């Protein structure tokens, strides 16, 4: 499960205690200044991972990024995350902050992304796993090839979000098998609920509501062939409660584990 804020700690602890979850992905932005010993005291010795949302590593100046990396390295030294993950997306358009973080225009930014991914991994002193975007527009068709090239050129990892891949399929027709060359080597996965808004019908990655049937189906097929699969994080950011989340986790174990190696 994903732990996004301190106030959810009682629920996170309950899901661990009841055995529904056995791994916790921390939205590390919101725990940046929390002493790692406090995080460990809260979670016990459960395996953790770091998910970074706002590094803005594609846009931020190197000095600030280096300061951020130094804190993240300290947190990683203490908490020993299974992976550190981040996002390949934009936060500004022509200098202006935008509310919905836009997808990269893959055809125009490859060289910049290659350099920044390399730099960010070097600063963090580790491989970083980048999550696929829940594409809305035509440009999403270029995403799988962009990821493939970056994996080859930078050695980055892929955090494959199954429901994001479903959103991209629904919105711009990128079939999940467009990822077929990368998937067998993927170790870390996400899945969450998505919402579909009408006219024009658009799927948004909201982490609200239960896991959809097509997400569970893709989970089953993908995990069956992911030879190195290690973690699956079920993300919930809306209607967050024990009943709903534990139902998601039970469904994921049933579908994800059905043909697991
Ligand atoms: Fe995700």
């Amino acid at each position: 499960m994903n732990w996004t804020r301190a106030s959810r700690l009682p629920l996170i602890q309950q899901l661990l205690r009841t055995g529904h979850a056995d791994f916790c992905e921390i939205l590390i932005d919101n725990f940046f200044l929390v002493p790692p010993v406090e995080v460990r005291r809260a979670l016990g010795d459960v395996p953790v991972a770091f998910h970074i949302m706002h590094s803005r590593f594609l846009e931020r100046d190197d000095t600030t990024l280096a300061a951020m990396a130094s804190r993240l390295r300290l947190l990683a030294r203490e908490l020993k995350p299974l992976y550190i993950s981040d996002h390949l997306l934009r936060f500004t358009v022509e200098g202006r902050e935008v509310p919905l973080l836009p997808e990269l225009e893959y055809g125009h930014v490859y060289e910049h992304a290659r350099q920044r991914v390399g730099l960010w991994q070097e600063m963090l002193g580790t491989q970083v796993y980048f999550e696929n975007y829940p594409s809305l527009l035509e440009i999403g068709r270029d995403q799988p090839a962009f990821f493939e090239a970056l994996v080859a050129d930078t050695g980055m990892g892929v955090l494959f979000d199954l429901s994001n891949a479903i959103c991209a399929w629904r919105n711009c027709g990128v079939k999940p098998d467009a990822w077929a060359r990368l998937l067998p080597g993927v170790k870390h996965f996400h899945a969450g609920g998505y919402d579909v808004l009408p006219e024009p019908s658009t799927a948004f990655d909201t982490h609200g509501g239960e896991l959809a049937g097509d997400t569970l189906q893709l989970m089953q097929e993908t995990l069956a062939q992911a030879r190195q699969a290690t973690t699956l994080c079920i993300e919930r950011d809306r209607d967050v409660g024990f009943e709903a989340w534990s139902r998601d986790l039970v469904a994921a174990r049933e579908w994800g584990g059905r043909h697991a190696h």
Side-chain angles (χ1 to χ4, degrees), residues 29-179:
D29 310 46
N30 288 349
F31 296 86
F32 216 63
L33 299 176
V34 178
V37 65
E38 296 291 337
V39 175
R40 266 294 163 225
R41 193 171 297 152
L43 293 179
D45 58 4
V46 67
V48 298
F50 291 174
H51 202 44
I52 306 170
M53 194 66 230
H54 285 90
S55 68
R56 300 182 175 220
F57 78 99
L58 290 171
E59 302 172 17
R60 207 183 286 277
D61 69 277
D62 291 1
T63 311
T64 315
L65 205 56
M68 208 176 236
S70 137
R71 177 70 188 169
L72 283 164
R73 280 202 315 271
L74 182 146
L75 291 169
R77 215 165 36 239
E78 298 295 321
L79 292 169
K80 303 193 174 23
L82 293 175
Y83 60 87
I84 297 179
S85 52
D86 203 330
H87 299 80
L88 286 158
L89 42 73
R90 293 190 290 163
F91 291 82
T92 55
V93 173
E94 292 171 6
R96 276 171 300 184
E97 301 277 337
V98 284
L100 187 71
L101 304 178
E103 185 160 17
L104 299 180
E105 291 184 27
Y106 301 110
H108 298 114
V109 297
Y110 184 75
E111 191 47 35
H112 177 70
R114 188 187 65 76
Q115 287 173 20
R116 299 302 289 181
V117 166
L119 176 73
W120 193 213
Q121 293 190 122
E122 199 181 301
M123 283 181 171
L124 289 169
T126 186
Q127 184 185 31
V128 177
Y129 290 75
F130 290 91
E131 177 170 1
N132 54 309
Y133 188 92
S135 306
L136 295 166
L137 305 171
E138 292 284 298
I139 49 173
R141 291 170 185 268
D142 298 332
Q143 185 177 205
F146 184 83
F147 267 64
E148 267 182 50
L150 281 179
V151 166
D153 285 349
T154 70
M156 74 173 204
V158 177
L159 170 61
F160 192 72
D161 189 310
L162 296 151
S163 38
N164 285 3
I166 293 285
C167 289
W169 187 11
R170 297 179 71 126
N171 295 336
C172 59
V174 185
K175 288 194 181 146
D177 61 16
W179 296 91

Side-chain angles (χ1 to χ4, degrees), residues 111-261:
E111 191 47 35
H112 177 70
R114 188 187 65 76
Q115 287 173 20
R116 299 302 289 181
V117 166
L119 176 73
W120 193 213
Q121 293 190 122
E122 199 181 301
M123 283 181 171
L124 289 169
T126 186
Q127 184 185 31
V128 177
Y129 290 75
F130 290 91
E131 177 170 1
N132 54 309
Y133 188 92
S135 306
L136 295 166
L137 305 171
E138 292 284 298
I139 49 173
R141 291 170 185 268
D142 298 332
Q143 185 177 205
F146 184 83
F147 267 64
E148 267 182 50
L150 281 179
V151 166
D153 285 349
T154 70
M156 74 173 204
V158 177
L159 170 61
F160 192 72
D161 189 310
L162 296 151
S163 38
N164 285 3
I166 293 285
C167 289
W169 187 11
R170 297 179 71 126
N171 295 336
C172 59
V174 185
K175 288 194 181 146
D177 61 16
W179 296 91
R181 278 191 293 274
L182 284 174
L183 283 176
V186 172
K187 293 183 191 157
H188 303 296
F189 293 86
H190 271 184
Y194 62 84
D195 287 355
V196 179
L197 301 186
E199 291 180 35
S201 172
T202 310
F204 286 98
D205 167 47
T206 54
H207 306 165
E210 62 187 19
L211 297 171
D214 47 13
T215 300
L216 291 168
Q217 188 70 43
L218 181 63
M219 185 183 289
Q220 184 186 64
E221 292 162 11
T222 305
L223 292 185
Q225 27 158 321
R227 291 188 292 272
Q228 303 180 47
T230 309
T231 64
L232 168 62
C233 175
I234 306 302
E235 301 183 284
R236 264 261 170 191
D237 290 321
R238 206 189 60 210
D239 300 331
V240 179
F242 181 77
E243 288 305 319
W245 212 344
S246 58
R247 246 195 334 267
D248 289 346
L249 290 161
V250 168
R253 279 185 196 281
E254 189 188 327
W255 286 78
R258 200 170 277 175
H259 298 296
H261 295 280

